[in-house]
Amino acid sequence: MTTFRPAPAWLADAVFYQIYPQSFADSNGDGIGDFAGITEHLDHLLWLGVDAVWLNPCFVSPFRDAGYDVADYLDVAPRYGSTDDLVRLVDEAGRRGIRILLDLVAGHTSDRHPWFRAAMDDPDDHRYIWTSEGRPEGFVASPGTRPGAYLPNFFDSQPALNFGYARTDPAEPWRQPVDAEGPRANREALRTIMDHWLRLGVSGFRVDMAASLVKDDPGRVETARVWTGLRHWLDAAHPAAVLLSEWGEPEVSVPAGFHADFFLQTGGPADGLALRSLWSNGEGTVNEVWDPLDCFFDASGKGSPRTFVAAWRQATAVIGDRGFIALPTANHDFSRLNCGPRGAEQLPAAFAFQLTWPTLPAIYYGDEIGMRYVPDLPDKEGSVLGPRYNRAGSRTPMQWDDSPGAGFSTAPADRFYLPLDPSPDRPSVAAQRVDDTSLLHLVRRLIALRAGTPELGSGGSVEVLHEGWPFVYVRGGRYLVVVNPRREEAGWRFEGAGRGWAPDGWEVLEASGVALDDGTVKARGFGFGVFAPAR
């Protein structure tokens, strides 16, 4: 088993915050968020208690897939500012104890990248996967003088970089081995790209489609070897840097070399079932191939935490102390918590769970105030993936205040990157900052509680006492957590369970609608509570 340098100590206690940069804050009035806008709002993140920020791609791009089609890995898109602006953001965040991670698109580029523009006219260039003639299924006809076709990695405008094939076939000569010249050059290019930005002060990368490198790779064995080699290089050259993967299968990605992997709405043999079993309520971003399910955080009370708990146990049994699982509230590809029938009153219980379960929490921008998934938006930079899968609804402008532009931008509304949530009662940071009972203050308190209570963090033990309604578990052998995501009241008798605690010997650390009375947990609809044994 491969041994890596231990993860930087800060990672175990980190609370991540994901920023979709074009929608966070616009400093120059052009309707698109930018680096300077993020810098201006770093104090919000400091006040909230965030330790690390992951930025969606900010490199030069034609933006056919919102920046996930990179045309230059070593320069930033002018819409966000300059490299100096990014470095200033990194420096200002660092002064506040906040680390900045960039999004590394490792498996493909834009078809506007100079590498591809050269390859489409040069049959001897093996930076990408090309056929010499014909057009096999899944390939795209050559746009240049080079005959044949190329393999895309997602959209047709995103040609797959060549990291080789795990299984070669003489009848298909484009299946180059993983040690061929093209794959070696691409592995070296990843090191060059990471080294460039790490030397400018970023703390690491979230890697897009990290499992997609080597093709026809059963078990992702050869892809794992690519990342293992890169992790060994990183450990030697930049030991304080971290790698987070968009893989969705932590039991494979973390042993391969990632410091952490996200539970995602896709990925792994179960195609993201663990995360969807928590949050996916059939609204917002819905892939037609997903089997319908009743998620746990739903008012109907038909779901169960068992699917998630089983997946978490399976992954942690393999990972051990070698890395972490990250649990997001949402992301740029997936519905927000406040989506469809799940309204604001249901969000406190969701955060109580997310911020007390032994994973790395990742808060998607705006979820801390309960921003809504906005339906029925037009396709924007490749946001639509299917008839019920429009990612734009999770990418609307951050709602800073109650002004007409929500504090996001001074531009006319028709120039905004995406429209604001049109709801007249849309939440805002300003309104919730002055309301101690708001979701924003609750999230801040839960983050502080987690930071001040190591047993509630990623490393503390967890003992599940009840996988029904309410969901009841103990962290670190002493902290009781109760979560009731359904509308109806739920109760459970805990006397004698696990350790046989005294029913009247508890201190309330954070609770709403939960009482421990006469040996019974009683939780009102959408109630939650975190308790410690009374001293």
Side-chain angles (χ1 to χ4, degrees), residues 343-365:
E345 73 280 4
Q346 300 176 53
L347 305 186
F351 272 104
F353 163 73
Q354 193 228 12
L355 289 167
T356 60
W357 191 259
T359 46
L360 298 181
I363 299 171
Y364 187 51
Y365 82 97

Side-chain angles (χ1 to χ4, degrees), residues 153-176:
N153 215 34
F154 194 62
F155 292 143
D156 287 356
S157 58
Q158 294 166 308
L161 288 164
N162 181 16
F163 289 91
Y165 278 74
R167 298 188 288 199
T168 58
D169 183 346
E172 298 181 345
W174 63 84
R175 289 176 170 258
Q176 295 189 343

Side-chain angles (χ1 to χ4, degrees), residues 64 109-122 125 128 130 143-145 159:
R64 294 180 183 173
T109 69
S110 164
D111 59 5
R112 306 284 183 87
H113 196 291
W115 293 343
F116 188 78
R117 308 305 285 179
M120 70 185 195
D121 292 321
D122 183 359
D125 188 313
Y128 301 88
W130 287 85
T145 60

Side-chain angles (χ1 to χ4, degrees), residues 265-288:
Q265 71 278 9
T266 61
D271 194 21
L273 183 62
L275 186 70
R276 288 187 286 113
S277 74
L278 293 177
W279 312 135
S280 185
N281 60 10
E283 300 287 341
T285 53
V286 178
N287 190 329
E288 297 294 326

Side-chain angles (χ1 to χ4, degrees), residues 294-318:
D294 294 309
C295 68
F296 181 50
F297 284 86
D298 186 78
S300 69
K302 296 178 181 177
S304 168
R306 290 185 178 89
T307 299
F308 171 82
V309 171
W312 177 85
R313 283 174 172 157
Q314 176 181 323
T316 53
V318 175

